[in-house]
Amino acid sequence: MKSSQYIFHILIAYSLLLSSVYALNVDQEERANNLFKETRCLVCEGQNIYESNSDSAEDMKKLISEMIIDGNSDNEIKSFLVSRYGDWIIMTPPINQSTYFLWFSPIIILLIGIIFILRKFKKNG
Amino acid sequence: MIRKTLFYSPLLIIILLGILFYYSLNSETKSNSPLIGKQIPEFSIERLLNDNDQFSSKDLISSETINFINVWASWCIPCRAEHNVLELLSKIDNVDLYGINHKDTKKNATNFINTLGNPFREIGFDSDGRTSIEWGVFGVPETFIVHRGKIIYKHIGPIHISELEDTIIPIIKDLN
């Protein structure tokens, strides 16, 4: 057997092993991966669980996969995590009263900048 | 003068924004658990030292005393350091201390208790860490104060003797 074929077989065996752990279909796996990317790792600051191999991240991945298999929607899974760990657990901060400033300040600053530049142009022109 | 103020205003705005963002980032910290003030999460796990029945949320809801739930593991070094404080805590009147043994083996957890003593009224054996996620636990040790099935307070990390005296005992006095 050629070595490339050998590696291919190993990869197939590995992916079969992984999929049998969580038993997700292709569609569910895509949802799971998106959720993993949106979930903050509990023990590794600034990283999501998709990127982390820590024990705690693996537990969280397992939980999310099981919740998908149990028929929970993405929103239900996220709200479960938020109910236990707070908004902190979601990588993207939600748009609510306490984050309005965070979301909209760049736009406001950009507008102020544009006004400044336009006035400068008018003066020079 | 006005020109000068205008010249420096972007710098001033940036500094102010920096301060504001810094405080906003720190307002969402691990210790303000969304579970505080809420009913305890539902759970049912096997007991570490007793195979008969399960340790469950019902045990805590039906309790009239002030419940402390300590999440610990035998492999956790700070838990060892905290153990003496837990012994003291468990002797306080009207307080019942419960344990959730987090991602451990029965053998190691039992050895830990046999060597250091057992301050717990009951210990749940959470081998897969699922119950800890239900409680919003980040790592071990963590301790929750529960009164009549409601979470009153959460402490992250080992309880130091000074924290027992300055923070925990006043909460117990308040609840009594």
Side-chain angles (χ1 to χ4, degrees), chain A residues 42-43 45 55-56 59-60 62-63 66 80-88 101-102 105 109 116 123, chain B residues 3 6 9 17 20-21 28-30 33-35 41-42 103 128-130 132-138:
Chain A
L42 297 181
V43 292
E45 212 74 25
D55 200 31
S56 136
D59 286 347
M60 208 53 108
K62 198 169 159 226
L63 171 86
E66 283 173 12
F80 168 76
L81 293 174
V82 168
S83 73
R84 295 309 190 253
Y85 291 97
D87 287 337
W88 179 91
F101 186 74
L102 183 73
S105 63
I109 293 167
F116 257 94
K123 245 187 197 171
Chain B
R3 262 173 170 267
L6 268 178
S9 63
L17 283 178
L20 202 76
F21 279 129
E28 270 282 325
T29 55
K30 290 177 175 179
S33 166
L35 289 169
E42 243 179 72
K103 302 205 76 174
D128 60 3
R130 184 56 56 87
S132 305
I133 294 179
E134 285 290 342
W135 281 81
V137 169
F138 287 89

Side-chain angles (χ1 to χ4, degrees), chain A residues 57-72:
Chain A
E58 292 302 326
D59 286 347
M60 208 53 108
K61 286 182 205 170
K62 198 169 159 226
L63 171 86
I64 291 172
S65 303
E66 283 173 12
M67 284 183 84
I68 289 177
I69 292 168
D70 286 347
N72 291 286

Side-chain angles (χ1 to χ4, degrees), chain B residues 1-21:
Chain B
M1 180 64 197
I2 296 168
R3 262 173 170 267
K4 221 173 186 182
T5 325
L6 268 178
F7 184 77
Y8 284 112
S9 63
L11 188 72
L12 199 76
I13 291 170
I14 297 288
I15 291 171
L16 282 175
L17 283 178
I19 295 169
L20 202 76
F21 279 129

Side-chain angles (χ1 to χ4, degrees), chain B residues 10-50:
Chain B
L11 188 72
L12 199 76
I13 291 170
I14 297 288
I15 291 171
L16 282 175
L17 283 178
I19 295 169
L20 202 76
F21 279 129
Y22 179 79
Y23 279 104
S24 308
L25 272 174
N26 285 310
S27 64
E28 270 282 325
T29 55
K30 290 177 175 179
S31 53
N32 18 354
S33 166
L35 289 169
I36 289 169
K38 304 242 168 74
Q39 275 288 113
I40 54 163
E42 243 179 72
F43 68 94
S44 182
I45 41 178
E46 68 176 296
R47 291 173 202 264
L48 177 71
L49 305 172
N50 178 350

Side-chain angles (χ1 to χ4, degrees), chain B:
Chain B
M1 180 64 197
I2 296 168
R3 262 173 170 267
K4 221 173 186 182
T5 325
L6 268 178
F7 184 77
Y8 284 112
S9 63
L11 188 72
L12 199 76
I13 291 170
I14 297 288
I15 291 171
L16 282 175
L17 283 178
I19 295 169
L20 202 76
F21 279 129
Y22 179 79
Y23 279 104
S24 308
L25 272 174
N26 285 310
S27 64
E28 270 282 325
T29 55
K30 290 177 175 179
S31 53
N32 18 354
S33 166
L35 289 169
I36 289 169
K38 304 242 168 74
Q39 275 288 113
I40 54 163
E42 243 179 72
F43 68 94
S44 182
I45 41 178
E46 68 176 296
R47 291 173 202 264
L48 177 71
L49 305 172
N50 178 350
D51 288 337
N52 291 338
D53 57 349
Q54 302 257 310
F55 171 53
S56 77
S57 35
K58 282 181 198 145
D59 294 314
L60 302 176
I61 292 167
S62 59
S63 162
E64 278 296 312
T65 56
I66 299 163
N67 300 153
F68 279 71
I69 292 86
N70 176 255
V71 188
W72 65 279
S74 67
W75 47 262
C76 146
I77 307 293
C79 300
R80 259 166 220 276
E82 185 188 41
H83 207 77
N84 286 335
V85 179
L86 295 183
E87 294 274 5
L88 288 174
L89 181 64
S90 68
K91 291 190 178 89
I92 297 174
D93 275 350
N94 204 29
V95 163
D96 280 321
L97 176 63
Y98 294 87
I100 293 177
N101 177 245
H102 172 86
K103 302 205 76 174
D104 213 334
T105 62
K106 270 197 170 174
K107 191 177 157 226
N108 289 345
T110 313
N111 274 344
F112 180 98
I113 290 297
N114 289 341
T115 317
L116 296 174
N118 184 7
F120 302 108
R121 188 184 162 100
E122 292 290 352
I123 304 168
F125 182 57
D126 182 28
S127 55
D128 60 3
R130 184 56 56 87
T131 301
S132 305
I133 294 179
E134 285 290 342
W135 281 81
V137 169
F138 287 89
V140 278
E142 272 182 29
T143 308
F144 296 84
I145 305 179
V146 171
H147 194 222
R148 298 194 175 115
K150 208 171 169 196
I151 299 175
I152 307 290
Y153 182 78
K154 172 182 179 175
H155 183 94
I156 292 183
I159 302 173
H160 192 262
I161 184 76
S162 64
E163 289 161 330
L164 178 73
E165 284 163 1
D166 300 340
T167 315
I168 307 288
I169 290 178
I171 295 176
I172 296 172
K173 278 186 183 156
D174 254 13
L175 290 173
N176 277 328

